[in-house]
Amino acid sequence: MTHKFGIAIHGGAGTILRSSLTPEREKLYKDALHTALTAGYSVLTAGGSSLDAVETAIRSLEDCPLFNAGRGAVFNSAGKHEMDASIMFGKNLGAGAVGLINNVKNPIALARKIMENTSHVFVCGEGAEEYAKAFGLEMADDAYFYDEFRYQQWQQSHIAGGAFLDHNLQSANASDEKKFGTVGAVALDKDGNLAAGTSTGGMTNKNPGRLGDSAVIGAGTYANNNTCAISCTGHGELFIRAVVGHDVSALIEYKNLSLAEACHEVVMKKLVQIEGEGGLIAIDKHGNIELPFNSEGMYRAMKSSDGREVVAIYK
Ligand code: ASP
């Protein structure tokens, strides 16, 4: 039996105001989201798995310097990139995650290899990079990840002190070059299998060694065929403390909430109470899709087999 199927993606959340993006730049972001969405959706249409759709969409976003993942990853306080990514398959609760990695072109591909080709779930730092080389994944030198805007952004936050959500730095920076966001994707395929993935450079000027929710299964990423698939973006420390991904799933599984109710409970109540700014994308086992956020905006897009398609940025 062919199920209803669909995909949703995000490119980060934060203080994203209409006034801060020129129409030209808004178009660039929307085009990039549309390209990733279409790539992921095509996998599903062809009968491919939700895992393949999620990886395909995220790779597209990682390769785009507009987003804070892969090529566009932000700088930490030491002026280096440390990327985090995770992926989960709802059919068997398979999961793979990598943290604090450098020079791996597509961190999401490495997270998937960890899931499918090792006995581990979570591998960080040099050990993860060694896996990437052993699996023959594409590596990239520092120059590939260097971006002048990111560098200036880091210099600013260095002076201001503290770590910042990529997308919130635009307000500190009147520059017209504004680039935001962790990326993620969730999908339901024709076989009824759910998958979720998230990839990020983390928060600008973060301390070396800091891990965010994007790498953490149950927090930034979660998928379970009994309930839903979730990918988050926002202030990682708060998303870890609220165990966001699993919490949405648990409200559906144990309290029989709908996807919309569960998302509202976690994003608009629980996170707001602890000042956890951000949002998430979610798809449930029936193909319902929710894109809630408690910040000014979230780069987001969705497409489902019932003909609905959305590409949006602001509230
Ligand atoms: N959640 C990410 C982190 O804390 C940041 C983001 O979503 O942009 O590392």
Side-chain angles (χ1 to χ4, degrees):
M1 186 185 101
T2 297
H3 288 253
K4 179 175 168 183
F5 59 93
I7 183 166
I9 63 171
H10 70 75
T15 314
I16 307 163
L17 299 168
R18 203 176 292 271
S19 57
S20 63
L21 279 185
T22 62
E24 294 76 33
R25 294 210 63 81
E26 183 178 315
K27 187 175 179 312
L28 280 182
Y29 284 104
K30 283 191 165 168
D31 287 350
L33 287 169
H34 187 258
T35 300
L37 184 74
T38 308
Y41 190 75
S42 308
V43 171
L44 298 174
T45 318
S49 74
S50 51
L51 262 181
D52 284 339
V54 161
E55 183 181 342
T56 299
I58 292 181
R59 273 173 173 267
S60 167
L61 295 165
E62 284 178 337
D63 292 344
C64 172
L66 292 170
F67 300 101
N68 170 22
R71 187 169 183 191
V74 298
F75 287 92
N76 69 12
S77 65
K80 301 238 180 307
H81 304 288
E82 284 184 337
M83 300 177 288
D84 307 332
S86 62
I87 195 161
M88 187 159 184
F89 193 35
K91 184 181 182 182
N92 58 359
L93 302 183
V98 292
L100 312 173
I101 60 168
N102 252 304
N103 303 114
V104 177
K105 184 166 173 270
N106 292 106
I108 196 67
L110 180 56
R112 183 161 176 188
K113 288 279 184 202
I114 298 294
M115 173 173 84
E116 292 181 338
N117 297 80
T118 78
S119 57
H120 305 309
V121 166
F122 205 165
V123 186
C124 292
E126 282 173 24
E129 287 154 26
E130 288 308 316
Y131 265 130
K133 289 175 200 155
F135 289 133
L137 293 182
E138 202 174 336
M139 305 298 284
D141 58 15
D142 288 348
Y144 173 80
F145 297 94
Y146 183 84
D147 180 275
E148 181 59 23
F149 169 77
R150 296 281 180 221
Y151 187 74
Q152 295 304 334
Q153 198 184 38
W154 169 60
Q155 296 260 302
Q156 275 182 14
S157 53
H158 215 55
I159 294 162
F164 298 89
L165 271 183
D166 181 34
H167 14 262
N168 285 357
L169 275 167
Q170 61 174 313
S171 42
N173 181 1
S175 149
D176 47 357
E177 288 284 303
K178 297 174 179 87
K179 305 176 181 184
F180 320 97
T182 289
V183 307
V186 295
L188 173 69
D189 62 31
K190 288 181 177 174
D191 296 326
N193 291 315
L194 288 161
T198 312
S199 179
T200 190
M203 287 174 71
T204 303
N205 207 37
K206 66 185 180 178
N207 209 68
R210 178 264 187 190
L211 267 172
D213 63 310
S214 310
V216 180
I217 297 296
T221 302
Y222 191 72
N224 182 337
N225 271 11
N226 290 332
T227 55
C228 61
I230 307 280
S231 169
C232 301
T233 172
H235 193 156
E237 280 71 9
L238 287 306
F239 278 65
I240 292 173
R241 285 164 53 192
V243 204
V244 172
H246 184 260
D247 217 40
V248 173
S249 170
L251 286 170
I252 297 171
E253 187 162 17
Y254 306 127
K255 270 189 125 183
N256 284 318
L257 263 56
S258 69
L259 183 72
E261 289 166 344
C263 286
H264 184 81
E265 192 65 33
V266 177
V267 178
M268 301 306 186
K269 291 187 187 168
K270 187 176 182 181
L271 274 171
V272 169
Q273 269 163 21
I274 58 171
E275 295 180 17
E277 182 188 358
L280 58 81
I281 52 171
I283 184 165
D284 71 10
K285 62 179 178 183
H286 309 295
N288 297 308
I289 293 177
E290 292 290 326
L291 313 165
F293 54 97
N294 61 35
S295 48
E296 292 292 341
M298 180 167 83
Y299 291 96
R300 60 198 187 276
M302 59 80 60
K303 186 168 174 139
S304 81
S305 58
D306 61 10
R308 280 210 310 147
E309 181 169 343
V310 173
V311 178
I313 301 175
Y314 316 108
K315 243 180 208 155

